[in-house]
Amino acid sequence: MKIEIWSDVACPWCFIGKRRFETALNAFPHKESVEVQWRSYQLDPTLPEHYDGTELDYLVARKGMDRAQLMGMLGQVKDAAEGEGLHYKFDGVVVANSFKAHELLHLAAAHGQADTVKEALLSGRFEQGLDIGSREALVRIGTEAGLSAVDINEALDTDKYAEGVREDFAEARALGVTGVPFFVIDRKYGISGAQSAELFSQALAEAWQEANPLTMVAANGSEACGPDGCAI
């Protein structure tokens, strides 16, 4: 069973959704038969490489909403994150364009380290105040995951994975994805948002049952018990 997850490392709900999905996947009896693929998505492709202001400043300018109202919304997101063991520090978030981070993710996927790098990017941005648009930060995250600094710099210098990132964006549009996180199971089930672990568990079970239906083997004269008694 294959699960594709469209996500942006600049999205706070994507980290929460990752944790809730992982809770369900870790409890899934067929976990070893599940392939997870991280796909790229950008909430704001127009964002400059670095934004001169705080996360709150950016959201006020981007959404045109009242600052006090946005502070309340961020507080709710922070509480939801705490419920999943994540410790968001919105005051320390560095607002930066995430495209280069997505290129790093594609490089990591080519080396089997996509999940490790995805985790580090999300934690770095929301919990540690790292600048995910910084070459230094991306090289550090990549090398800590076991990637070569030479490979990382080459990929970022040459835009080796840029087309792959754009293809993810295009495929998301083709599927009708308008927000993230967005989970696609075997290209049959779509789950939008950071849903509960219970909902993810239900979706996994249903998708697995559909892909692996139970085949009944008939046997003549089989002995069994039912609501009306037992066969003799």
Side-chain angles (χ1 to χ4, degrees), residues 19-174:
R19 275 294 180 276
R20 292 174 178 174
F21 169 73
E22 288 168 344
T23 297
L25 183 61
N26 287 333
F28 186 54
H30 309 289
K31 175 185 176 182
E32 300 305 317
S33 298
V34 175
E35 175 191 354
V36 176
Q37 181 181 8
W38 289 102
R39 307 296 295 269
S40 296
Y41 189 93
Q42 268 197 307
L43 293 170
D44 185 4
T46 68
L47 187 67
E49 187 173 331
H50 289 92
Y51 178 82
D52 186 18
T54 66
E55 178 86 339
L56 185 60
D57 293 335
Y58 165 71
L59 291 173
V60 168
R62 172 74 173 170
K63 297 182 177 296
M65 295 174 63
D66 177 74
R67 181 174 290 266
Q69 183 181 2
L70 275 169
M71 287 179 65
M73 291 172 60
L74 290 179
Q76 292 174 2
V77 175
K78 187 176 185 299
D79 289 343
E82 289 287 342
E84 305 303 326
L86 306 174
H87 309 294
Y88 284 8
K89 299 174 182 176
F90 283 115
D91 290 343
V93 167
V94 178
V95 182
N97 192 292
S98 62
F99 193 90
K100 289 295 183 184
H102 285 295
E103 289 185 277
L104 175 64
L105 278 166
H106 275 248
L107 170 65
H111 292 271
Q113 294 297 328
D115 192 77
T116 300
V117 170
K118 183 73 172 183
E119 177 79 14
L121 286 167
L122 288 165
S123 177
R125 187 178 196 274
F126 293 107
E127 297 182 304
Q128 303 166 39
L130 291 184
D131 180 356
I132 61 166
S134 159
R135 174 69 65 95
E136 180 183 356
L138 295 178
V139 170
R140 191 180 102 190
I141 286 172
T143 53
E144 287 179 352
L147 304 178
S148 160
V150 173
D151 289 345
I152 296 169
N153 281 304
E154 179 190 11
L156 298 179
D157 286 337
T158 63
D159 293 331
K160 180 178 181 179
Y161 294 97
E163 187 58 31
V165 173
R166 295 189 184 98
E167 287 174 0
D168 280 357
F169 297 167
E171 194 159 2
R173 290 192 295 271

